[in-house]
Amino acid sequence: MRLARPLAATMLVVAALSVPQPAQAAVFKHPGVLVSRAQLDFVRANLGNEPWKSAWNSLQGSSYASLSYTAKPRAEVKCGPSSNPDYGCSDERKDSMAAYTHALQWYLTKDSRYAVKAIQIMDAWSAVITKHTGDNAPLQTGWAGANFSRAAELIKHTYTGWTQAGRFANKLRTVYLPTLIAGRPNNNGNWELIMTDAAIGIAVHLDDRASFDRAIQTWYGRLPAYIYLKTDGSLPKAPPNSKYDTKAEIIDYWHGQTTFVDGLTQETCRDFWHTGWGLAAISHVAETARHQGVDLYAKAKHRLRFAMNFHARLQLGGTVPSWLCGGKVTKDLGKHFEVGYNALHHRLGYDDIPYATQWVEQNRPVGVSHFLGWETLTHAQNPRDAGMSASATPDFNADGIGDIFSAATGTLTVWHGEGGNTFGPATAIGPGWTAFSRPVAGDFNGDGISDLLAVQKDTSTLYVWNGRGADNFTTATELGPGWEPYAGTLMSLGDVDNDGHTDIGAVHADTGTLNIWNGKGANTFATRQAIGPGWTAFSRPIAGDFNGDGIGDLLAVKKDTSTLHVWNGRGADNFTTATELGPGWEPYAGTLMSLGDVNNDGHTDIGAVHSETGTLNIWNGKGANKFGPATAISSGWTPHFQGSAG
């Protein structure tokens, strides 16, 4: 069955979510600074494969990854030109990179010792740092701020127990951000770009919308002032708010270059090392913005691909023309392209950058350099980002913590997860849901925010409501008819074919066959794939990543034995045979639900309402198909979960 082209929704459907709500700024997706949860789940599932295996070994073998690493904080970091004198400059850069390294190790291993070490490093600095001084202070603030914001973001949003997170956030806000957000329009472009990289990361971590928007505006202005395209005219653009406003001044700013071609940068005639930094920072900002639903690659893709290929060709031995930098360039390009290359080649499909491809592949794995760290590990061939999170987790306020929802009363109601197995009060979203099957949640349009799917009962038509964050949804969009046999068991699967998109499934009511429709993004799905029969013997399946490999799994209760079983996804719509997890699930079979991560430990949790007591219980995931004992949350849930809701 093919899903029909989306059509305008009926008035009945439109009314279902038309409750007036005050305008709210879009919410931030966490973790969402340079790397996302989905990206790192992909990495964790591939640590035994290349190129991630070598990159992981490189990280683990570095001094930054040692559990005996000791921070060297100071109140004032004073950095002269080229960090000379160096009063704490190298120490701060190294410590910030070590914090990020340990944050990555924590997420990829779930060994809490690494989280504790990252926290120790960040707490040491937040206890004393007051200012950055010296000629190199703005750039130093960018280097350290970029690393620290990535580390803080991962720890805060995937680990519980960081008691001084607020103090560290305050230092990012008061010691780092004011310098970064002010920009540096008259310096070589890598300065302002690196500062913007740090600024947008800190803004996301602080949920600071104004600073986020300002960082993006700085990036927009600096991009054409750093990478030239012929469409810019006969001269490159001047950086906004800079002192360069004549032809002679712009040529001087571009280190004497007078001939301009696609991909030339403001620092090409200075050296390739700093050029690489500028290109990396452009990509970093675009990557973080993409996690937050802002597509900067659409603006940068042509400039980046020309620039990366241009410089890689020369670095690899290409002839330097006489018109370029007087016929002589400094070929010291570093391992700077991994993030941008992944976006251009693997996400956007550009195959016309052969020299960039050669340069990236021959320089793997990438280690560390000031504000670049372990990018082969985090970004090589990685299709995942907030825009393709492949999430089956209900997270309607996009805070990274699973929510509970139900429409059994006819009103869509949400209880927001607050971490630590706690939930906020019931929030009524809108009425009109008695006309629909039990809704399921997932990211079906690929914007990183949970959407809803449900079947209209009288027409057997599937509809989608796309989430906009803060409990707001679009009006319904019709996806196609013919869903009557599947309405009662419709489920959101996460990513079971490992392509980065959220898939859906259902058991045919008459045949008992499990079917899957693989997501393609933008609310579209591939044709139905029949997986296998025999599912009438089980309760309605639920989906989540229960073994921690980044691929969607299935859980269901066998009706005649009340035993919970798991089928682990293997990719390409394949699953293992059933593994028995334990008996005693009869009171929970009808309301079993996948919650995502509600205690913030990085594992998928499950919940259910006891059919007799009406008590909500949660079983916290431990990875490897294991769960902790039942935790009773509260009673009174029966009206919302009567065997088929939620």
Side-chain angles (χ1 to χ4, degrees), residues 563-582:
T563 302
L564 184 65
H565 290 74
V566 63
W567 295 257
N568 291 124
R570 295 187 295 186
D573 298 334
N574 289 306
F575 295 84
T576 63
T577 55
T579 298
E580 183 177 317
L581 298 187

Side-chain angles (χ1 to χ4, degrees), residues 59-89:
L59 181 151
Q60 290 190 302
S62 75
S63 60
Y64 295 100
S66 172
L67 286 169
S68 62
Y69 188 96
T70 302
K72 299 177 181 179
R74 61 172 64 205
E76 178 182 356
V77 176
K78 185 176 182 179
C79 307
S82 300
S83 298
N84 184 22
D86 180 346
Y87 298 126
C89 315

Side-chain angles (χ1 to χ4, degrees), residues 328-626:
K328 184 178 180 180
V329 295
T330 302
K331 298 181 181 180
D332 55 354
L333 185 63
K335 302 177 182 182
H336 301 141
F337 289 174
E338 194 80 75
V339 173
Y341 176 75
N342 181 64
L344 293 174
H345 183 66
H346 292 287
R347 287 203 203 117
L348 299 178
Y350 285 107
D351 294 321
D352 57 351
I353 47 176
Y355 299 107
T357 298
Q358 182 180 346
W359 182 251
V360 168
E361 291 182 350
Q362 78 177 36
N363 281 286
R364 286 174 172 164
V366 174
V368 301
S369 173
H370 293 72
F371 70 112
L372 298 97
W374 318 116
E375 293 180 354
T376 299
L377 179 68
T378 57
H379 285 82
Q381 302 171 38
N382 196 326
R384 309 287 184 85
D385 61 4
M388 295 194 302
S389 60
S391 175
T393 298
D395 181 15
F396 302 112
N397 58 352
D399 64 354
I401 304 173
D403 304 323
I404 294 175
F405 71 105
S406 171
T409 64
T411 296
L412 178 64
T413 305
V414 174
W415 295 261
H416 291 298
E418 298 178 342
N421 293 337
T422 61
F423 296 86
T427 300
I429 306 301
W433 286 87
T434 54
F436 296 90
S437 66
R438 172 192 50 82
V440 299
D443 181 16
F444 305 118
N445 64 348
D447 67 353
I449 303 174
S450 292
D451 312 313
L452 292 171
L453 281 179
V455 177
Q456 192 175 33
K457 295 175 182 177
D458 61 354
T459 65
S460 300
T461 300
L462 184 66
Y463 287 88
V464 63
W465 296 259
N466 291 125
R468 295 186 293 189
D471 296 332
N472 285 298
F473 295 82
T474 63
T475 53
T477 299
E478 180 181 324
L479 298 187
W483 287 83
E484 190 275 334
Y486 307 106
T489 57
L490 190 65
M491 53 185 149
S492 180
L493 297 176
D495 181 16
V496 296
D497 62 346
N498 213 24
D499 70 347
H501 297 292
T502 302
D503 309 315
I504 60 175
V507 175
H508 194 286
D510 297 328
T511 67
T513 298
L514 174 65
N515 296 269
I516 288 176
W517 294 260
N518 293 123
K520 299 300 178 184
N523 297 329
T524 61
F525 296 87
T527 54
R528 175 176 55 86
Q529 301 292 323
I531 304 303
W535 288 84
T536 52
F538 295 88
S539 65
R540 175 184 59 84
I542 63 170
D545 181 14
F546 304 118
N547 63 350
D549 66 354
I551 305 174
D553 311 314
L554 297 174
L555 278 180
V557 177
K558 194 173 184 183
K559 296 175 182 177
D560 61 353
T561 64
S562 300
T563 302
L564 184 65
H565 290 74
V566 63
W567 295 257
N568 291 124
R570 295 187 295 186
D573 298 334
N574 289 306
F575 295 84
T576 63
T577 55
T579 298
E580 183 177 317
L581 298 187
W585 288 83
E586 189 275 334
Y588 307 106
T591 58
L592 195 64
M593 51 187 149
S594 181
L595 299 176
D597 181 14
V598 296
N599 65 342
N600 221 22
D601 69 349
H603 298 294
T604 301
D605 309 314
I606 60 175
V609 175
H610 194 286
S611 59
E612 297 177 0
T613 67
T615 299
L616 172 65
N617 294 269
I618 288 177
W619 294 261
N620 292 123
K622 302 298 182 183
N625 297 329
K626 297 179 180 179

Side-chain angles (χ1 to χ4, degrees), residues 71-79 87-93 95-96 120-133 137 140-142 144-145 148 164 166-179 202:
K72 299 177 181 179
R74 61 172 64 205
E76 178 182 356
V77 176
K78 185 176 182 179
C79 307
Y87 298 126
C89 315
S90 297
D91 289 338
E92 185 187 30
R93 291 198 306 271
D95 289 355
S96 64
Q120 287 176 354
I121 295 169
M122 291 187 284
D123 283 354
W125 278 92
S126 69
V128 299
I129 183 70
T130 61
K131 59 184 175 180
H132 297 87
T133 60
Q140 171 72 24
T141 308
F148 271 143
Q164 296 297 332
R167 186 179 73 187
F168 190 82
N170 186 58
K171 289 302 176 76
L172 290 178
R173 180 181 293 107
T174 59
V175 177
Y176 292 81
L177 189 57
T179 296
I202 292 173

Side-chain angles (χ1 to χ4, degrees), residues 43 74 76 97 119 142 243 249 256 304 370 470-471 485:
V43 174
R74 61 172 64 205
E76 178 182 356
M97 183 61 73
I119 290 170
K243 63 183 180 182
E249 288 172 340
L304 278 174
H370 293 72
D471 296 332

